[in-house]
C-alpha cells in the first residue's frame, strides 16, 4: 500500500514489509518516509487546515456518515485486513470493524454537538452592559500516532473526532500494522474527505517521530501507545496540546459473593483478548480467599479449553502475539517469575509467536510480570482477605486506566469502585469492557486527557470567547 502526502498516493523505493505474525509471511509493504516526505506532509497538513476549518458541520458529518456506511458494507474485507496484519482472530477482528463503524457514526453525530455557552459578564462589577458567549474552534493540525493492537478502530478514534472538529490530520500508524489505517484513509477520501485535509506517513517512529512531534505547525499530538514512547514524545513536543493514551496493568477484584461463573468467563476473555495485547486487558486478579480455589479451578479449566492458532479459522479463540520477539519477551518474564517462586497453573509454552494463555499464582511483587504492563496472554491470581487489602494492592502500581470489581453487594461494589485509582471501573464486567463513546483514558503513567469521541473533540478544539460591550 502507499502513503498519502500532499493529496497524492506516494510510493518509495525503500519499503517496509508487513508480516502476518502467524506464519511470518509478507502480506504487503509500505513506503519508508524520508525527512523530505515528513516536511512535505507537515506543510500540506498546515495548508489543508484552511480547507478543514471551512467545511461546514453538515459536510464533515456527511463524510463521516458515508465512511461509516462504506465500512459497514465491507466488514469482512476490513476484518480480514485487521486479522492478517495483526494478532486478532477473524472473530475478534469483525468486532473491531463493527466498532469502527460506530466510532465514525458517533463522530458524525458529535460533529453537530460542538457547543458553546453564553457568559454572565455582569456577574462581577465592571462587566455591566456586556454580553457574550464562547464557541469551540478547531486546534489546527492534529498529529495522530497509533499503536499496533487495534489497527483500525484506534485510528478511527483519532480521525473521526479530528474531522468532526474541523482539523486537518497527519497520521503515523504503527509500522507493524499500517494497512488498516491506510485503508481507512482511502475510505474517507472515497467518501468525500478533501484530500488536502489528511496525510498518512509510514515509517519507523524512532526515525521520523522527532521531526513530527517537535514541529510547531502541529497544534496537537494525539498519541496512543506505550509509556516509553509517550515519555519520549512529551520530552520533544514543545508547546502544543497533548493527548496520551498509554499502557496499564489492570486489576480486577472478585468479591466472595460474586457470580462466580460470570466472573470467570468475563476475566478469561478479558485476559486473553487479542492475545492479551489490549491496553485494558486483565493482568492481576485479586480474589476473596473464601472463593479463591473454585475461582482458580474454573479459570484454569476455561483457559485450557482455549483454541489457539490460525487467526483465520472461525474456531480459533486466540492468535499469535504481534511478533516472535514479543512472545519471547513474555516467555522470559514468565521464567523470571517462576525462578523467584511463581507457579504456572497452565500455559507458559511458546511456539514462535504463539504463546499459550498462561495463568500464574504466587507471583512476587518484585517480579517484572507483576510490576510492568505484560501486554501478552498472561494473568496472575492472588487471594485477598478484606476490601482494604484488595483496594490497596490493586492501586499499588503507577498505572490507572481501567479496573474492575465483581460483587453482588452493590454497596460494597461502589465502595471498591470509588476506592480504585483509575480512569474507569467496570462493575460486574472485566476491565476490557469499553463503549467507544464513553470517556476513556488513564491517570498516573496510563495517560493524560480522555478519548471517546465527544471527549476527543473537546481536546481537539479550543474555546474562543466573544464579548460585546454595549455601553
Ligand atoms: P509503541 O511502541 O509505543 O508505538 C505506538 C506508536 O508510536 C507507533 O506508531 C510507533 O511507531 C510510534 N512511536 C514510537 N516511538 C516514537 C517516537 N519516539 N516518536 C513518535 N512516535 C513514536 O506502542 P505499541 O507497541 O504499538 O502498542 C502497545 C502499547 O500501546 C501498549 O503499551 C498499550 O497499552 C498501549 N495502548 C494504549 C491504549 C489506550 O487507549 N490507552 C490503547 C491501545 C494500546 P512504530 O510502530 O514505527 O514504532
Amino acid at each position: 500500500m502507499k502513503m498519502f502526502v500532499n493529496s497524492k498516493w506516494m510510493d518509495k523505493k525503500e519499503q517496509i514489509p508487513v508480516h502476518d505474525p502467524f506464519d511470518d509471511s509478507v502480506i504487503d509493504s509500505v513506503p519508508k518516509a524520508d525527512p523530505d516526505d515528513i516536511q512535505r506532509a507537515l506543510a500540506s497538513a498546515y495548508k489543508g487546515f484552511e480547507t478543514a476549518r471551512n467545511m461546514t458541520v453538515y459536510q464533515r458529518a456527511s463524510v463521516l456518515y458515508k465512511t461509516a456506511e462504506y465500512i459497514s458494507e465491507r466488514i469482512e474485507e476490513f476484518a480480514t485486513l485487521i486479522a492478517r496484519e495483526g494478532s486478532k482472530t477473524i472473530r475478534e477482528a469483525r468486532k473491531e470493524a463493527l466498532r469502527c463503524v460506530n466510532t465514525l457514526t458517533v463522530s458524525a453525530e458529535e460533529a453537530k454537538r460542538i457547543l458553546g455557552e453564553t457568559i454572565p459578564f455582569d456577574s462581577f462589577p465592571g462587566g455591566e452592559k456586556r454580553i457574550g458567549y464562547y464557541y469551540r474552534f478547531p486546534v489546527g493540525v492534529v498529529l495522530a500516532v497509533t499503536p499496533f493492537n487495534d489497527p483500525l478502530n484506534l485510528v478511527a478514534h483519532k480521525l473521526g473526532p479530528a474531522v468532526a472538529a474541523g482539523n486537518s490530520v497527519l497520521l503515523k500508524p504503527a509500522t507493524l500494522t499500517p494497512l488498516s489505517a491506510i485503508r481507512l484513509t482511502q475510505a474517507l477520501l472515497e467518501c468525500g474527505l478533501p484530500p488536502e485535509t489528511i496525510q498518512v506517513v509510514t515509517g519507523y517512529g524512532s526515525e521520523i517521530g522527532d521531526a513530527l512531534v517537535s514541529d510547531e505547525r502541529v497544534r496537537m499530538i494525539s498519541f496512543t501507545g506505550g509509556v516509553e514512547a509517550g515519555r519520549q514524545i512529551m520530552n520533544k513536543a514543545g508547546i502544543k496540546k497533548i493527548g496520551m493514551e498509554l499502557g496499564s496493568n489492570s486489576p480486577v477484584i472478585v468479591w466472595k459473593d460474586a457470580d462466580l461463573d460470570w466472573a470467570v468467563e468475563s476475566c478469561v476473555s478479558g485476559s486473553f483478548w487479542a492475545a492479551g495485547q489490549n491496553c485494558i486487558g486483565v493482568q492481576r486478579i485479586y480474589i476473596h480467599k473464601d472463593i479463591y480455589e473454585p475461582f482458580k479451578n474454573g479459570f484454569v479449566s476455561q483457559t485450557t479449553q482455549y483454541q489457539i492458532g490460525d487467526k483465520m479459522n472461525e474456531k480459533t479463540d486466540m492468535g499469535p502475539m504481534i511478533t516472535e520477539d514479543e512472545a519471547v519477551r513474555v516467555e522470559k518474564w514468565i521464567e523470571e517469575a517462576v525462578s523467584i517462586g511463581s507457579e504456572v497453573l497452565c500455559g507458559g509454552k511458546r511456539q514462535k509467536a504463539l504463546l499459550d494463555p498462561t495463568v500464574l499464582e504466587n507471583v512476587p511483587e518484585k517480579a517484572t510480570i507483576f510490576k510492568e504492563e505484560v501486554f501478552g496472554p498472561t494473568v496472575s491470581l492472588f487471594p485477598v482477605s478484606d476490601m482494604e487489602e484488595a483496594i490497596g494492592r490493586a492501586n499499588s502500581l503507577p498505572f490507572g486506566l481501567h479496573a474492575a470489581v465483581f460483587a453482588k453487594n452493590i454497596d460494597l461494589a461502589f465502595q471498591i469502585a470509588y476506592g480504585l485509582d483509575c480512569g474507569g471501573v467496570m462493575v460486574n464486567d472485566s476491565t476490557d469492557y469499553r463503549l467507544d463513546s464513553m470517556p476513556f483514558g488513564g491517570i498516573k503513567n496510563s495517560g493524560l486527557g480522555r478519548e471517546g469521541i465527544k471527549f476527543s473533540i473537546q481536546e481537539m478544539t479550543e474555546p474562543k470567547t466573544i464579548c460585546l460591550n454595549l455601553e
Side-chain angles (χ1 to χ4, degrees):
M1 282 186 170
K2 297 177 180 169
M3 55 186 192
F4 193 72
V5 176
N6 199 16
S7 301
K8 286 189 263 315
W9 289 105
M10 266 187 77
D11 221 342
K12 304 288 293 182
K13 222 179 181 163
E14 259 198 279
Q15 294 279 310
I16 304 173
V18 180
H19 295 259
D20 180 332
F22 178 60
D23 55 10
D24 212 28
S25 59
V26 174
I27 52 171
D28 207 332
S29 64
V30 290
K32 185 167 180 284
D34 64 29
D36 287 346
D37 300 322
I38 298 304
Q39 288 312 316
R40 214 171 289 128
L42 285 162
S44 178
Y46 190 66
K47 229 170 99 208
F49 175 50
E50 283 311 310
T51 307
R53 78 194 315 177
N54 285 313
M55 286 172 77
T56 63
V57 166
Y58 177 77
Q59 288 169 326
R60 298 177 213 163
S62 298
V63 168
L64 291 164
Y65 277 130
K66 276 189 204 152
T67 312
E69 199 183 333
Y70 179 100
I71 296 171
S72 72
E73 286 162 359
R74 294 166 178 80
I75 291 296
E76 216 44 40
E77 180 206 329
F78 277 88
T80 303
L81 198 54
I82 293 167
R84 288 298 307 283
E85 68 172 336
S87 281
K88 286 188 175 167
T89 64
I90 187 70
R91 285 190 282 129
E92 291 173 330
R94 274 187 205 114
K95 285 198 177 161
E96 182 175 341
L98 287 167
R99 281 181 59 183
C100 174
V101 172
N102 183 45
T103 301
L104 296 173
T105 306
V106 177
S107 297
E109 290 163 355
E110 290 296 341
K112 301 176 186 172
R113 294 196 276 261
I114 305 174
L115 304 176
E117 284 183 319
T118 55
I119 299 167
F121 283 102
D122 61 355
S123 58
F124 192 73
E128 298 83 1
K129 295 270 165 68
R130 281 162 182 83
I131 59 164
Y133 63 98
Y134 74 84
Y135 72 96
R136 301 196 74 86
F137 68 96
V139 284
V141 177
V142 173
L143 171 66
V145 183
T146 53
F148 75 82
N149 61 312
D150 286 314
L152 181 68
N153 192 38
L154 287 182
V155 178
H157 263 286
K158 306 208 181 293
L159 302 191
V163 169
N167 293 301
S168 64
V169 200
L170 199 169
L171 167 66
K172 210 263 1 124
T175 303
L176 290 166
T177 57
L179 305 178
S180 306
I182 295 174
R183 186 70 187 92
L184 173 60
T185 307
Q186 287 172 352
L188 282 158
L189 290 166
E190 278 187 47
C191 294
L193 187 68
E196 59 272 35
T197 65
I198 189 161
Q199 325 284 319
V200 184
V201 292
T202 46
Y204 298 108
S206 52
E207 293 174 10
I208 61 174
D210 285 2
L212 289 169
V213 304
S214 61
D215 197 279
E216 289 188 359
R217 286 165 289 190
V218 171
R219 294 311 306 145
M220 177 174 179
I221 300 170
S222 176
F223 175 75
T224 301
V227 177
E228 263 331 296
R231 212 186 297 278
Q232 282 170 26
I233 289 171
M234 291 207 61
N235 286 339
K236 297 273 164 151
I239 300 171
K240 49 179 64 93
K241 293 189 97 175
I242 295 193
M244 286 275 147
E245 296 286 335
L246 306 178
S248 196
N249 178 331
S250 301
V252 176
I253 296 172
V254 185
W255 202 246
K256 58 185 168 190
D257 67 346
D259 176 338
L260 207 59
D261 290 346
W262 169 237
V264 167
E265 184 187 330
S266 175
C267 288
V268 168
S269 163
S271 302
F272 305 125
W273 184 264
Q277 299 156 116
N278 176 2
C279 58
I280 46 178
V282 177
Q283 187 167 339
R284 293 170 287 144
I285 311 182
Y286 296 100
I287 304 138
H288 193 279
K289 62 179 177 14
D290 292 358
I291 53 152
Y292 184 79
E293 285 303 318
F295 182 92
K296 173 173 114 177
N297 294 338
F299 200 93
V300 169
S301 153
Q302 279 202 20
T303 302
T304 45
Q305 284 163 36
Y306 249 52
Q307 301 286 319
I308 71 162
D310 180 2
K311 293 170 290 175
M312 303 314 291
N313 184 331
E314 295 289 339
K315 294 207 171 101
T316 302
D317 295 309
M318 198 188 93
M321 290 191 65
I322 192 68
T323 59
E324 186 170 347
D325 282 354
E326 273 296 278
V328 169
R329 171 186 63 78
V330 179
E331 186 184 36
K332 286 199 175 124
W333 286 16
I334 295 169
E335 284 165 7
E336 182 219 19
V338 169
S339 74
I340 53 175
S342 309
E343 201 178 318
V344 176
L345 298 174
C346 64
K349 298 267 177 309
R350 182 184 66 79
Q351 213 193 354
K352 298 202 166 154
L354 279 170
L355 180 66
D356 283 352
T358 302
V359 185
L360 300 169
E361 72 174 350
N362 296 324
V363 176
E365 298 202 346
K366 64 180 181 199
T368 309
I369 212 158
F370 176 86
K371 293 185 293 190
E372 303 293 337
E373 176 185 42
V374 64
F375 222 60
T378 299
V379 63
S380 304
L381 311 186
F382 306 90
V384 286
S385 305
D386 58 52
M387 189 175 75
E388 286 70 30
E389 183 195 355
I391 295 173
R393 291 179 71 180
N395 285 342
S396 66
L397 295 176
F399 299 100
L401 193 51
H402 271 193
V405 50
F406 288 85
K408 282 201 183 120
N409 178 339
I410 211 71
D411 291 349
L412 185 122
F414 270 74
Q415 258 178 289
I416 294 177
Y418 277 85
L420 289 166
D421 297 333
C422 56
V425 180
M426 305 304 118
V427 178
N428 292 328
D429 264 314
S430 102
T431 49
D432 87 328
Y433 177 75
R434 176 183 183 187
L435 176 74
D436 289 290
S437 51
M438 74 190 208
F440 183 78
I443 61 166
K444 301 193 256 185
N445 286 344
S446 293
L448 287 176
R450 291 291 180 269
E451 288 200 342
I453 309 159
K454 171 176 153 184
F455 305 91
S456 308
I457 290 174
Q458 285 285 309
E459 311 264 355
M460 291 180 182
T461 54
E462 308 266 23
K464 182 187 277 183
T465 303
I466 310 282
C467 175
L468 176 62
N469 182 353
L470 295 173
E471 239 163 354

